[in-house]
Amino acid sequence: MTVHRLRPRPRPPAADPAAVPFAATWISPQARRAVRRVLASGWVTTGPETHRFEDEFATRVGARHAVAVSSCTAALELSLRALRLPPGSPVLVPDITFCGAAQAILHAGLRPVLVDVDPRTATATPASVARAAEAVGTPSALMVLHYAGAPAPVAELADAARLPTDRVVEDAAHALGTTVGDRPVGALSRATCFSFYATKNLPVGEGGMVTTDDPGLADWLRRARLHGMSADAWRRNLPGGTWRYTVDEPGLKANMTDVQAAIGRGQLPYVETWQRRRQALAERYDDALKSVPGLEPLDVTTPGRHARHLYPVRVTAEYGTGRDELIAELAARGIGTSVHFVPLHRLPLLRDADAPGGLPGADALYGELLSLPLYPSLTDDALDRVCAELAR
């Protein structure tokens, strides 16, 4: 008889207690209990928990309607599809943004037109939007990004594009908690798209939300997120419901589950506390980095509240070490960083996209852009260690 001996699995290396990860996700006790409750209910996909989450989220951002979906990328695509533009219609989008934003435009059958950014802010300006709009004649829509959680001048950018705000789709993946002036991001345009990815200001793991004041858009989104079906499974199974449904046009499989919604509802009460902590950490960075030549936090030029999703800096020539070398040096010392983002025009998928007037601002910024750790559980000591290493 052959005896098979099980070899012990190698143990992973012990975590460095002094390490500072770029991001860390914390799930509240309320969210954990809510998940157990939903799992015990026997209904785990889109249902009553999702509908309650939608109502609570809409109230938080001051919108009349909220529709939960599978991701912010799906939210952007559905919001663009809802505009019912002719195929290939030009959509203005900032060159410094996540690749998913441009892919949402492509999947909606539209054409991304890249808009340059101000290297001091990493955001599109009325001047750069106007330049791109003039070059394409009449753009069909505009995507506005609230980069890092900083307020973007939605109305001014729409005016520069010669578009009404109902042709604006806001990418608010970073912007839960942001205000433009005293108005919360969430009801400034026809559709505002949020992310609940694991690192976001409301971390669920995955998921997204579209908020709007347009009841017709909200109804269309609820159908479109589930293949275009006229009723979801929960409503079909309610007392008095029917299995019958119809489909009038193509949709996506982009719904949120009740498990995700339960996490979101359990996290929502912490958002304001987390926001205050993010602001305090950003101010601590500001104070510590004043004395480090060549590390320049990005400017914020639009009045309002910054959600502080990210803390990006520019690593200029005065610093004496290049951005990529600095990333490697910090990683060797156990400090995580990231870059937000690779400009769209530098991705093979989009290198031939229209970019009227060129993209000198994005090119100037990209080689210098660096995001430092920023999340509510980051301790003062850990932040001070990051700053001390940067000062070296």
Side-chain angles (χ1 to χ4, degrees):
M1 181 178 67
T2 302
V3 176
H4 296 280
R5 300 184 184 276
L6 296 177
R7 294 181 180 179
R9 293 180 180 178
R11 293 183 178 180
D16 179 359
V20 182
F22 172 69
T25 302
W26 184 77
I27 303 298
S28 71
Q30 290 95 319
R32 295 169 188 268
R33 289 193 296 269
V35 169
R36 289 194 291 270
R37 172 176 52 77
V38 167
L39 292 175
S41 76
W43 190 274
V44 296
T45 188
T46 306
E49 200 75 17
T50 302
H51 301 319
R52 294 186 191 107
F53 183 37
E54 290 171 334
D55 290 343
E56 292 167 7
F57 192 87
T59 297
R60 176 163 291 277
V61 302
R64 293 178 182 173
H65 306 277
V67 180
V69 292
S70 56
S71 68
C72 187
T73 304
L76 292 168
E77 179 180 344
L78 289 169
S79 297
L80 289 165
R81 285 174 178 251
L83 295 176
R84 301 185 181 280
L85 301 173
S89 296
V91 178
L92 306 183
V93 60
D95 190 44
I96 298 286
T97 191
F98 183 53
C99 61
Q103 293 189 43
I105 297 171
L106 293 170
H107 287 307
L110 307 173
R111 174 166 59 94
V113 176
L114 310 185
V115 179
D116 201 15
V117 302
D118 183 339
R120 298 168 301 173
T121 65
T123 60
T125 67
S128 65
V129 167
R131 192 161 53 245
E134 184 177 357
V136 299
T138 303
S140 298
L142 168 68
M143 190 178 290
V144 172
L145 171 65
H146 299 277
Y147 178 86
V154 177
E156 292 179 40
L157 295 174
D159 286 344
R162 303 192 301 277
L163 291 170
T165 54
D166 64 4
R167 289 293 185 93
V168 172
V169 173
E170 287 175 78
D171 182 347
H174 299 173
L176 178 57
T178 300
T179 68
V180 177
D182 59 0
R183 295 185 62 191
V185 167
L188 303 174
S189 60
R190 185 166 187 253
T192 307
C193 303
F194 294 89
S195 172
F196 307 131
Y197 183 65
T199 61
K200 294 300 190 286
N201 289 29
L202 181 65
V204 169
E206 296 287 353
M209 191 79 77
V210 184
T211 61
T212 182
D213 283 344
D214 183 341
L217 172 60
D219 288 344
W220 184 89
L221 289 168
R222 292 187 184 102
R223 295 193 302 275
R225 69 181 173 183
L226 268 172
H227 307 290
M229 296 170 65
S230 56
D232 61 33
W234 172 254
R235 297 184 190 281
R236 297 199 306 273
N237 284 278
L238 286 173
T242 174
W243 61 267
R244 297 182 185 280
Y245 62 86
T246 188
V247 177
D248 297 322
E249 59 182 305
L252 302 180
K253 180 67 168 78
N255 58 305
M256 177 179 283
T257 70
D258 269 16
V259 174
Q260 292 169 296
I263 298 173
R265 292 186 69 206
Q267 301 283 72
L268 263 178
Y270 291 86
V271 167
E272 282 304 315
T273 299
W274 290 339
Q275 175 65 47
R276 289 192 294 270
R277 179 59 181 161
R278 287 178 176 274
Q279 182 62 35
L281 291 167
E283 291 173 1
R284 195 176 186 92
Y285 267 131
D286 288 344
D287 291 340
L289 297 182
K290 285 178 182 176
S291 60
V292 184
L295 288 184
E296 299 180 3
L298 295 185
D299 291 341
V300 179
T301 57
T302 300
R305 184 190 197 192
H306 197 310
R308 298 297 182 183
H309 171 59
L310 300 172
Y311 189 87
V313 297
R314 295 178 65 188
V315 184
T316 69
E318 189 179 4
Y319 186 69
T321 299
R323 190 271 312 274
D324 291 350
E325 184 182 349
L326 176 57
I327 289 173
E329 291 285 348
L330 291 172
R333 290 166 169 77
I335 295 172
T337 57
S338 191
V339 174
H340 296 84
F341 298 96
V342 178
L344 296 180
H345 77 280
R346 294 197 174 211
L347 302 172
L349 175 66
L350 295 157
R351 69 163 54 108
D352 296 326
D354 289 345
L359 301 161
D363 280 327
L365 176 61
Y366 172 51
E368 300 175 341
L369 199 53
L370 176 67
S371 295
L372 301 177
L374 180 67
Y375 41 93
S377 61
L378 182 68
T379 65
D380 290 352
D381 287 346
L383 185 148
D384 293 344
R385 179 171 175 247
V386 173
C387 293
E389 292 293 352
L390 289 168
R392 290 177 57 179

